[in-house]
Every structure is written in structure tokens, then in C-alpha cells.
Amino acid sequence: MAVALGWAIATAISLAAGAWSSSQWHLELLPGLAVTHFLMAAMQTVVLRFRLSRPLWWVPFSCLGGVLSGLGSSFFAWRLSVHPDLTIDYLLSYPLLRGGILGLSQYPLLRQHSAYAMGWIPWSAISWWIGFRVALTVMPSPHTTLILGLVYGGLTGLYWIIPTGPALGIDDLPLHDRRSRHP
């Protein structure tokens, strides 16, 4: 539970600090994403240092994923929203792509940690969408990014409560007719 709470706090503070520093330094999109996601990855690594086998790899995977998710979601969500045959809502596609790409970039490290790592990708996407929607309710405000970070960090922090043991397969379930492989 302490990891989940630390994760939520680290994510919220780092997203708010990254957005603040990007605005203070008048950074363009790419450097702003890099600074924000470097701060987020560094603070999350401190929280995960005892949970992952290679916690320092979290920084490059998350930074790359953060930059790609920011650029990719901005580009593709806009294209989907103005396409004459699709017209997918930007407020739906942008956060889902952003959280999904970020989760996909972190998946290679998480699959070594948990049998449920594949669930991280959709959970990250849905969490970013929920955080984005909640943050829009307080816009414009200096606390918008902090709200996004608290909601996204809180929801993705729940992942760290899931037990990390191997998932049971169909052959592992105890049935009356046959013997289980596990005593």
C-alpha cells in the first residue's frame, strides 16, 4: 500500500513540476515532454527501487514512452478528430493514446515483475483518460496538471497492490475429477 501511495504522490508532484518548469523556461513541446517525463520517471524509480529487478531502466523506458506518447497522441488524435470518415473525439482519443503508448513503453520492465503486466497497458490508458477528464473540470487553473497527476497516479498506483505471483492457468485450477498440479 505504501508503494501505491508513494507512486501516486511521485506522479502528481513530478507532472506538476514538469509542467511548471516547462512553462517557466518557455520550452517547446519536445523538450517540455522530455523534462516532464524525466522528472516523473526519476521520482517513480525512487518508489520502485525495491519492486523491480532493474529499477534504473524505468527512467529511459518511461522518458522515451512519455515523449513518444506526447508527440504521437497529439499528432494521431488530431488526425482522427478531423478525418472526414472517422471524426473520433479528440478528448477521447488523445488521453487514451497518451496513456496507452506510455504503458506500452513500460511493459517490457513490468512483464519481468508480474504475470499481470499486460493489464498495465489498458489500465494506463484508461487511467490517463479518467485523469484527463477530471483535470478538464478545473481548467484553466494552475492545479490542472497536479489534478491529472493525482488521478492518473492514484489509479495506476493500484497496480502495485496486485500480487506479483504467476497467474493460474486453466490446468492449475483444482477440479473434482482431476488432480491439481499444486498441492
Side-chain angles (χ1 to χ4, degrees), residues 138-157:
V138 297
M139 243 181 121
S141 166
H143 307 297
T144 303
T145 309
L146 182 64
I147 299 294
L148 169 64
L150 280 173
V151 174
Y152 174 72
L155 291 173
T156 53

Side-chain angles (χ1 to χ4, degrees), residues 33-149:
L33 287 170
V35 166
T36 300
H37 285 281
F38 175 78
L39 286 173
M40 187 168 74
M43 290 184 76
Q44 289 173 344
T45 300
V46 171
V47 174
L48 297 178
R49 69 185 177 273
F50 299 117
R51 296 292 295 244
L52 297 176
S53 59
R54 296 183 203 141
L56 292 180
W57 279 99
W58 190 261
V59 174
F61 277 77
S62 294
C63 285
L64 179 64
V67 169
L68 291 177
S69 73
L71 294 174
S73 61
S74 297
F75 178 76
F76 288 112
W78 180 79
R79 296 270 184 205
L80 292 171
S81 67
V82 298
H83 192 279
D85 295 331
L86 298 176
T87 59
I88 297 173
D89 186 13
Y90 182 81
L91 298 178
L92 174 69
S93 61
Y94 171 78
L96 287 176
L97 284 169
R98 182 88 190 257
I101 294 169
L102 182 59
L104 184 63
S105 72
Q106 297 163 338
Y107 168 74
L109 291 173
L110 293 176
R111 71 182 178 154
Q112 299 167 1
H113 167 71
S114 172
Y116 306 104
M118 187 55 92
W120 176 259
I121 299 167
W123 187 247
S124 177
I126 291 166
S127 298
W128 195 279
W129 178 76
I130 293 170
F132 188 74
R133 298 302 291 189
V134 171
L136 285 177
T137 63
V138 297
M139 243 181 121
S141 166
H143 307 297
T144 303
T145 309
L146 182 64
I147 299 294
L148 169 64

Side-chain angles (χ1 to χ4, degrees), residues 163-180:
T164 60
L168 292 176
I170 192 71
D171 294 335
D172 297 328
L173 298 174
L175 299 175
H176 299 292
D177 301 346
R178 56 183 207 179
R179 293 165 46 150
S180 172

